[in-house]
Amino acid sequence: MVKYSIIIPMFLCFSTLYAGFTFVGKIKNYNVFPNKVEFTLTNANLIIYVVDQNILRFRYTNQGEFSNAPSYAVIFQQPEKVNFLFNEESDKFVIKTTELIVQIKKDPCRISIFDNKMNLLNKDDEYYGVSFDNDEVRCFKKLFDGEKFYGLGEKSDQLLKNGNQYTMWNSDFPAYNSKRDPLYVSIPFFIGIRNYRAYGIFFDNTYKSYFNMGASNKEFYWFGADKGEMDYYFIYGPQIKRVITSYTMLTGKIELPPLWSLGYQQSRWSYYPETTVRRIAQSFRDYEIPCDAIYLDIDYMDGYRVFTWDKEKFPNPTKMINDLKAKGFKLITIIDPGVKADTEYFAAKEGVENDLFVKYPNGKFYEGQVWPSWSYFPDFTYDKTINWWGDKLSILLKDGIEGFWNDMNEPAVWGQAFPDIVQFSDNGFGADHKKIHNVYALQMAKATREGVRKYSPNKRHFILTRAGFSGIQRYSAVWTGDSESNEEHLKLACIMPQNLGLSGVPFIGTDVGGFIGEPTARLYVRWMQLGSFTPFFRAHSEFNSRAKEPFAFDPNTRSLVRDIIRFRYQLLPYLYNEFYNASVTGLPIMKPMFLNYQNDENCYSYDSQLQFMLGDNLLIAPVLSSTDNFKKLYLPGGKWYSFNENKTYDGSNWIIVNAPIEQIPIFIRQGGFVPMQDVQNFVGEKKIDELQVLLFPSPKSEYQLYQDDGISYDYTSGKYSITKFSEELSNNKLKIHITTEHDGYNTGLKNYLFKILAVSAPKAVYVNNERISDNKKNDYKTNNQFNFDKEKSILNIKTNYSKKLEIQIEF
Ligand code: MIG
């Protein structure tokens, strides 16, 4: 074999050392355990853990031993025993699970991962594999033709990540744009898709890290970090959804938020004094624009001292908060991590006395400049500090505050260069800022979540953060920071939340209207329309900018915005159910088209990221320009009902629809149920008697609706209800069945109003086998009547609420 004798010597000279980079070398030894295999390599140690049948963890170090410090991101416990087969062959080892076959080549050590039918999914670059360069670690992977990359958290470019390199280093960058990287949140997790089949790689390393998705070369893609272990999880789908669900099995899923936090929230930098806050609140009620929360930015504090009030601006916070509560408003305060280094100030004193702040190696407390001027920084990697911080929050909780907004937690300091030499506890293992920077916000959010839970164990609070790391979803919602009131950011407001959703963070939103600058009325309306379909819906605006509340605009704009906010409130049952789904599956609520239509090439196109699925039944196509009065969009296969036009479209088509300023194109998937309710000025204002259920009938489909009290943790002991809706259309007969699948919570509903879309006049309608009559007046005062709206082709059926219901319609 002449061919081989030429290749092999070349191979050997590249395999271990090449100008600065050291590679792992060959396998010298191995040891098999019930859940892992350990290998000794020439220049490194490697452990391969079998985490699950579709998840493997690869962990390399060149430091002689592996770190014992726990992961910040991963909360999943590696099982003691996992089923897998291990086999030695002459040139390789093989690990087999039911879903994956991993070949571990002996010389040099290289990984190749196949599905159980031996389709190659992912492999190390055959020349470079894993490398070390002093502290730096990298993993080089083969770049396949046609492989697409997605994810990586808060990135402001398009969804597709190919051909670019990204950095993970939490950064405060006001007025960023689509070229700026890194931003506030770091999520070292991406998804690779080839031939419509997906896998994910989560690189569990908190140091500054890099993801080169084939930028400036076509040989390989690579990921790596300045320091730490090459420790990554390989997650097989092949469904993209399954990759995300597995990733969030490792890093956690959202808690069910309080229902009110799905309402509209109003913020600006800053509402003060108290009279201003009251006036803003009253205006919402006067104009009947629904709103559930008002934010207090940094000026509520006494000299920016966290956990205090400026008593001139807010002489009696408890009274103000209670008065506003009576009107249906929750108050949310900003909390920055920096504690003013003022020897007279209780938080500074306690922190110094109890050793809760980070220090230089010489033992001196670190002070950085932020809003309060020179400030100490709590060490959130230290249990004692986490507990203390949680206790301090109770000061504000006692005043009646119902949510916390964590800002400047990258951590940001003036000068943007928190010294790397600053020391952290790292759960007792000791680490410098290089290791902890990216998880500072994650740990602060953990302290916040644990603090509010300890203070009121059975009440849900809302937490919002600017910075974060993998796992942030389990503690907090995220917003995308300091946007600008321009069209570029309007587009980003559609793309970035989708990108974060793919990265395991479903509770996400933007500063609606833009943080910096002044939106035109049209831009403001378009952003409100988009924002009303994002999971977190808050308008916020910078210091010195014009007033940006809906009532600060002209009457026409105000009324358009009121309509869209009202629609959001009508949609709350559907939306809340999507939050429930996200809490179970880890999947996004605002879904990129290709997530639901993985095999449809059109859903991967550049334009298709300018629309999204809200849950599985609604397609939202926001107008992302302030001048357009139309929208080009893609409808995947099947049929779609245009909500604005009351007509249906055949899918697998790009279409252009009219979208005058008062409209955002909304489509209902055929077979999709959409539960809605009456408008309220705030969550809980009225008793909701009626559930309205939209349905565009299909041959057969199903939907599950989750409901609970929306505010307590009682659901964790079974106090919730799950209702199953199913429908079947055949031979001009539509049957709808409703059954209660879990009956732990009394919804208080008295009736259903079904809106059957795009149908002809019925010949007969039966509810539980009894024929019901036509209410010609369309007044719906009585149950068990129907009415056909000829103009819109909508059949309305009103029935009693019942745990079991059967409706039959003959057309
Ligand atoms: O240095 O608290 O992103 O939402 O209004 C700026 C003032 C600090 C940045 C946040 C923004 C907030 C602002 N903060």
Side-chain angles (χ1 to χ4, degrees):
M1 303 274 284
V2 182
K3 224 168 138 197
Y4 279 101
S5 66
I6 298 167
I7 289 168
I8 288 168
M10 266 181 59
F11 214 84
L12 285 178
C13 69
F14 284 116
S15 64
T16 53
L17 188 74
Y18 189 73
F21 285 84
T22 307
F23 299 94
V24 292
K26 65 177 183 192
I27 298 177
K28 297 199 303 189
N29 219 330
Y30 70 93
N31 223 330
V32 188
F33 298 85
N35 61 0
K36 64 179 176 183
V37 184
E38 293 189 355
F39 298 92
T40 312
L41 317 177
T42 322
N43 298 316
N45 295 312
L46 161 65
I47 307 178
I48 302 177
Y49 297 83
V50 181
V51 180
D52 209 337
Q53 297 303 306
N54 72 324
I55 308 176
L56 296 153
R57 177 184 178 194
F58 298 88
R59 197 176 175 196
Y60 299 83
T61 183
N62 65 341
Q63 303 292 310
E65 49 187 282
F66 289 95
S67 161
N68 286 318
S71 167
Y72 286 99
V74 175
I75 52 170
F76 182 75
Q77 287 276 334
Q78 167 70 37
E80 298 286 330
K81 194 183 168 337
V82 187
N83 285 334
F84 69 92
L85 297 174
F86 181 77
N87 213 2
E88 176 165 8
E89 294 175 15
S90 61
D91 59 340
K92 59 179 174 287
F93 297 97
V94 179
I95 291 176
K96 266 190 196 180
T97 72
T98 54
E99 297 189 44
L100 294 172
I101 297 166
V102 186
Q103 294 182 352
I104 306 122
K105 208 171 92 185
K106 288 182 179 171
D107 187 11
C109 173
R110 297 286 182 267
I111 307 294
S112 301
I113 306 171
F114 303 81
D115 70 10
N116 59 11
K117 298 194 185 75
M118 281 309 283
N119 295 305
L120 182 59
L121 302 170
N122 182 265
K123 74 189 280 226
D124 288 352
D125 179 275
E126 68 179 300
Y127 295 101
Y128 313 117
V130 168
S131 77
F132 305 95
D133 182 2
N134 294 316
D135 279 343
E136 190 194 279
V137 293
R138 285 193 196 189
C139 181
F140 294 86
K141 291 284 190 183
K142 180 169 172 59
L143 184 61
F144 290 102
D145 271 353
E147 181 165 15
K148 297 185 174 98
F149 298 108
Y150 294 95
L152 298 175
E154 191 178 51
K155 299 298 172 199
S156 58
D157 56 349
Q158 56 172 329
L159 293 181
L160 185 68
K161 296 292 177 265
N162 293 55
N164 288 305
Q165 180 167 318
Y166 302 87
T167 302
M168 299 298 164
W169 186 252
N170 292 358
S171 303
D172 173 12
F173 199 90
Y176 60 87
N177 59 27
S178 57
K179 305 257 174 337
R180 166 72 200 182
D181 177 65
L183 293 171
Y184 314 92
V185 177
S186 295
I187 300 187
F189 163 64
F190 65 88
I191 299 166
I193 305 173
R194 190 161 59 104
N195 302 326
Y196 304 112
R197 284 141 39 97
Y199 68 85
I201 286 183
F202 166 47
F203 178 32
D204 189 13
N205 180 313
T206 66
Y207 286 91
K208 186 184 273 185
S209 63
Y210 310 89
F211 291 78
N212 181 312
M213 312 320 279
S216 313
N217 95 94
K218 57 183 177 175
E219 298 295 313
F220 46 68
Y221 74 87
W222 65 265
F223 51 94
D226 283 354
K227 204 176 167 174
E229 292 170 9
M230 174 42 64
D231 183 357
Y232 73 90
Y233 292 78
F234 177 88
I235 302 167
Y236 180 50
Q239 305 84 357
I240 309 167
K241 287 183 175 174
R242 183 155 180 249
V243 173
I244 300 172
T245 296
S246 292
Y247 165 73
T248 54
M249 176 186 92
L250 301 173
T251 60
K253 298 178 167 75
I254 59 165
E255 269 193 9
L256 270 177
L259 183 55
W260 63 259
S261 68
L262 274 56
Y264 175 68
Q265 311 195 28
Q266 183 66 50
S267 183
R268 92 169 264 118
W269 177 13
S270 297
Y271 292 128
Y272 70 82
E274 179 180 324
T275 47
T276 302
V277 181
R278 287 176 183 271
R279 177 175 53 79
I280 294 292
Q282 193 52 47
S283 299
F284 277 102
R285 296 300 175 249
D286 291 347
Y287 288 108
E288 298 193 288
I289 301 170
C291 180
D292 264 272
I294 295 181
Y295 282 67
L296 300 180
D297 206 326
I298 47 176
D299 300 287
Y300 75 90
M301 293 176 272
D302 171 18
Y304 306 120
R305 286 171 189 82
V306 69
F307 317 121
T308 68
W309 289 93
D310 180 324
K311 285 291 166 117
E312 258 167 50
K313 297 183 184 123
F314 296 96
N316 191 345
T318 319
K319 173 141 195 344
M320 174 188 77
I321 293 168
N322 280 333
D323 291 351
L324 290 173
K325 208 172 277 189
K327 295 200 160 107
F329 291 97
K330 321 282 182 204
L331 271 267
I332 296 170
T333 47
I334 200 169
I335 301 279
D336 290 356
V339 173
K340 189 176 175 75
D342 162 5
T343 48
E344 299 296 300
Y345 163 43
F346 67 91
K349 266 199 271 187
E350 289 173 24
V352 167
E353 273 162 27
N354 299 302
D355 203 18
L356 307 172
F357 301 140
V358 294
K359 292 180 191 155
Y360 288 107
N362 67 4
K364 198 173 167 194
F365 285 112
Y366 164 67
E367 288 178 35
Q369 255 184 322
V370 255
W371 288 105
S373 177
W374 293 106
S375 305
Y376 299 125
F377 283 80
D379 183 355
F380 292 114
T381 68
Y382 190 16
D383 271 352
K384 209 160 98 170
T385 310
I386 290 192
N387 289 333
W388 172 76
W389 190 262
D391 289 344
K392 291 296 109 180
L393 291 172
S394 69
I395 298 172
L396 293 160
L397 291 168
K398 274 185 197 125
D399 290 328
I401 293 298
E402 308 213 27
F404 294 113
W405 166 26
N406 289 345
D407 188 25
M408 304 294 282
N409 49 352
E410 291 70 27
V413 280
W414 302 158
Q416 300 296 348
F418 202 104
D420 281 335
I421 202 164
V422 169
Q423 302 292 301
F424 290 75
S425 156
D426 192 16
N427 294 304
F429 291 88
D432 60 26
H433 174 255
K434 286 187 198 169
K435 179 177 179 191
I436 302 305
H437 179 83
N438 280 340
V439 292
Y440 192 80
L442 175 71
Q443 291 297 105
M444 181 180 176
K446 177 181 181 193
T448 309
R449 179 57 73 196
E450 288 177 4
V452 296
R453 196 70 202 271
K454 193 161 72 178
Y455 177 78
S456 56
N458 199 27
K459 182 174 156 181
R460 298 181 221 169
H461 288 80
F462 175 71
I463 301 171
L464 177 65
T465 182
R466 189 169 73 177
F469 189 73
S470 287
I472 190 65
Q473 68 273 6
R474 58 187 192 248
Y475 306 124
S476 180
V478 173
W479 100 101
T480 58
D482 297 347
S483 60
E484 282 191 274
S485 298
N486 62 28
E487 286 196 8
E488 183 184 17
H489 272 275
L490 176 60
K491 226 182 220 181
L492 292 184
C494 181
I495 299 170
M496 289 175 74
Q498 294 183 63
N499 211 75
L500 275 145
L502 281 175
S503 314
V505 184
F507 201 177
I508 172 77
T510 65
D511 281 350
V512 175
F515 177 66
I516 293 162
E518 320 240 308
T520 61
R522 283 185 68 101
L523 185 82
Y524 180 72
V525 171
R526 291 308 191 188
W527 204 323
M528 276 284 182
Q529 288 171 340
L530 164 62
S532 71
F533 294 103
T534 57
F536 172 56
F537 182 24
R538 180 187 76 151
H540 180 51
S541 184
E542 80 164 324
F543 190 73
N544 272 340
S545 58
R546 64 159 288 182
K548 288 188 200 164
E549 300 78 30
F551 39 81
F553 287 80
D554 63 274
N556 183 47
T557 302
R558 183 177 73 215
S559 99
L560 294 180
V561 168
R562 174 172 53 201
D563 289 349
I564 195 71
I565 296 179
R566 286 183 166 192
F567 190 72
R568 164 89 173 195
Y569 277 73
Q570 289 183 275
L571 209 55
L572 282 179
Y574 179 76
L575 256 181
Y576 188 60
N577 190 53
E578 289 309 318
F579 274 80
Y580 167 73
N581 289 336
S583 76
V584 175
T585 62
L587 293 175
I589 293 162
M590 184 173 170
K591 296 173 175 166
M593 296 305 298
F594 61 75
L595 185 66
N596 279 15
Y597 300 92
Q598 189 168 332
N599 296 322
D600 186 338
E601 190 56 35
N602 283 295
C603 290
Y604 295 85
S605 68
Y606 177 84
D607 281 347
S608 69
Q609 68 192 325
L610 306 177
Q611 62 183 69
F612 55 92
M613 297 298 297
L614 186 67
D616 294 331
N617 296 342
L618 289 177
L619 186 156
I620 311 294
V623 177
L624 302 174
S625 125
S626 48
T627 47
D628 289 356
N629 282 315
F630 65 90
K631 174 81 181 183
K632 179 186 165 199
L633 65 117
Y634 180 70
L635 297 173
K639 280 194 169 165
W640 298 83
Y641 179 82
S642 166
F643 190 83
N644 296 336
E645 302 166 299
N646 293 304
K647 66 180 227 194
T648 64
Y649 285 90
D650 285 328
S652 298
N653 275 315
W654 287 94
I655 60 169
I656 294 178
V657 293
N658 283 328
I661 189 69
E662 64 274 13
Q663 285 182 359
I664 170 170
I666 303 168
F667 295 82
I668 300 179
R669 187 177 64 86
Q670 187 175 31
F673 287 87
V674 180
M676 297 177 65
Q677 67 187 27
D678 262 356
V679 175
Q680 308 176 78
N681 285 307
F682 56 90
V683 169
E685 183 195 26
K686 312 184 203 165
K687 237 180 122 305
I688 302 288
D689 289 337
E690 180 175 274
L691 192 74
Q692 297 157 14
V693 183
L694 274 53
L695 168 67
F696 171 26
S698 73
K700 204 177 163 91
S701 77
E702 261 185 30
Y703 176 76
Q704 283 210 335
L705 178 66
Y706 172 91
Q707 290 164 292
D708 66 15
D709 66 15
I711 191 68
S712 79
Y713 285 91
D714 287 354
Y715 69 90
T716 57
S717 55
K719 292 189 178 138
Y720 60 90
S721 91
I722 290 186
T723 310
K724 187 166 128 191
F725 297 81
S726 61
E727 54 106 27
E728 218 182 314
L729 179 65
S730 64
N731 301 325
N732 291 327
K733 227 185 229 168
L734 173 65
K735 284 189 207 162
I736 302 173
H737 283 264
I738 300 162
T739 50
T740 302
E741 301 282 291
H742 183 94
D743 191 12
Y745 169 72
N746 182 358
T747 60
L749 290 172
K750 298 231 162 59
N751 43 60
Y752 280 115
L753 176 59
F754 286 90
K755 291 181 168 285
I756 316 294
L757 309 170
V759 289
S760 53
K763 293 202 179 99
V765 179
Y766 302 86
V767 173
N768 289 340
N769 294 319
E770 276 187 38
R771 190 163 176 172
I772 63 168
S773 59
D774 188 346
N775 175 334
K776 300 230 161 65
K777 296 192 297 285
N778 198 5
D779 63 1
Y780 302 114
K781 293 236 167 67
T782 1
N783 289 346
N784 294 333
Q785 292 200 332
F786 73 90
N787 174 269
F788 183 66
D789 182 338
K790 220 171 165 185
E791 212 177 295
K792 292 184 174 160
S793 303
I794 298 177
L795 171 62
N796 297 296
I797 304 171
K798 186 156 173 167
T799 73
N800 290 325
Y801 178 81
S802 151
K803 296 209 164 126
K804 213 168 149 35
L805 203 63
E806 202 185 304
I807 301 173
Q808 261 201 56
I809 303 146
E810 287 167 13
F811 294 104

